[in-house]
Amino acid sequence: MYGDTAAGRKRVAQLREQGGDIRALAARLVSQAEAVPWHGKAADAMRERIKERASHLRAAAAHHETAADSLARHLVEVDTLKEAIDVRAHKATTLVEDARTRAGEASGPDGIPAGADEVDAALLAFDPPPAGHKDWLTVDLPGL
């Protein structure tokens, strides 16, 4: 099976939390710089520098949010594909089982299906991919 989306969603939450922590740090730095009882040209330069650095921290926080959003979208796609794999595998299994049932009921005295058509022959010859494998998305079977 592809992609542990639960672990991915945990990482999304971590990225969002880290982004919030970075934003809070930026706000604290600016607040602390403003609270310093120091005046003059050097103090003003320090406060300006802290504000610049805080803007860089806010940009880093925004990158965390962007990464979290991208990962969340990816996880939706992974879940969609995993569901499609499950649906196709289930349908293919049902088709093959039905063909085996028909073949068993129509077997001639030598055990060979009497009058098996091309569809049932293709279903009976089907070699399925491993459970949960992406190759289920490209399986070509009659009725699938």
Side-chain angles (χ1 to χ4, degrees):
M1 197 55 101
Y2 294 97
D4 181 356
T5 53
R9 282 186 176 72
K10 183 177 178 183
R11 186 64 185 132
V12 167
Q14 289 171 336
L15 285 166
R16 292 192 197 289
E17 182 179 346
Q18 288 170 343
D21 291 347
I22 293 169
R23 271 193 194 85
L25 174 62
R28 272 195 320 274
L29 287 173
V30 170
S31 174
Q32 289 171 350
E34 294 294 327
V36 171
W38 178 28
H39 301 286
K41 205 173 196 180
D44 292 342
M46 179 273 302
R47 286 183 184 96
E48 190 58 37
R49 178 90 171 180
I50 292 297
K51 287 178 184 176
E52 288 174 19
R53 292 297 174 210
S55 71
H56 292 293
L57 288 171
R58 288 186 197 98
H63 290 311
H64 277 69
E65 280 296 320
T66 300
D69 292 344
S70 295
L71 181 55
R73 281 191 305 274
H74 172 73
L75 294 172
V76 168
E77 285 298 314
V78 169
D79 280 338
T80 300
L81 291 174
K82 285 169 51 176
E83 185 177 331
I85 288 168
D86 288 344
V87 167
R88 290 180 62 83
H90 178 72
K91 188 169 183 181
T93 300
T94 301
L95 289 168
V96 170
E97 287 172 357
D98 290 348
R100 286 185 182 142
T101 299
R102 286 189 298 275
E105 292 170 352
S107 289
D110 56 1
I112 298 173
D117 62 10
E118 287 180 27
V119 170
D120 279 353
L123 292 169
L124 292 171
F126 177 60
D127 182 24
H133 196 277
K134 67 179 180 176
D135 286 353
W136 279 105
L137 296 172
T138 57
V139 164
D140 186 25
L141 274 179
L144 186 61

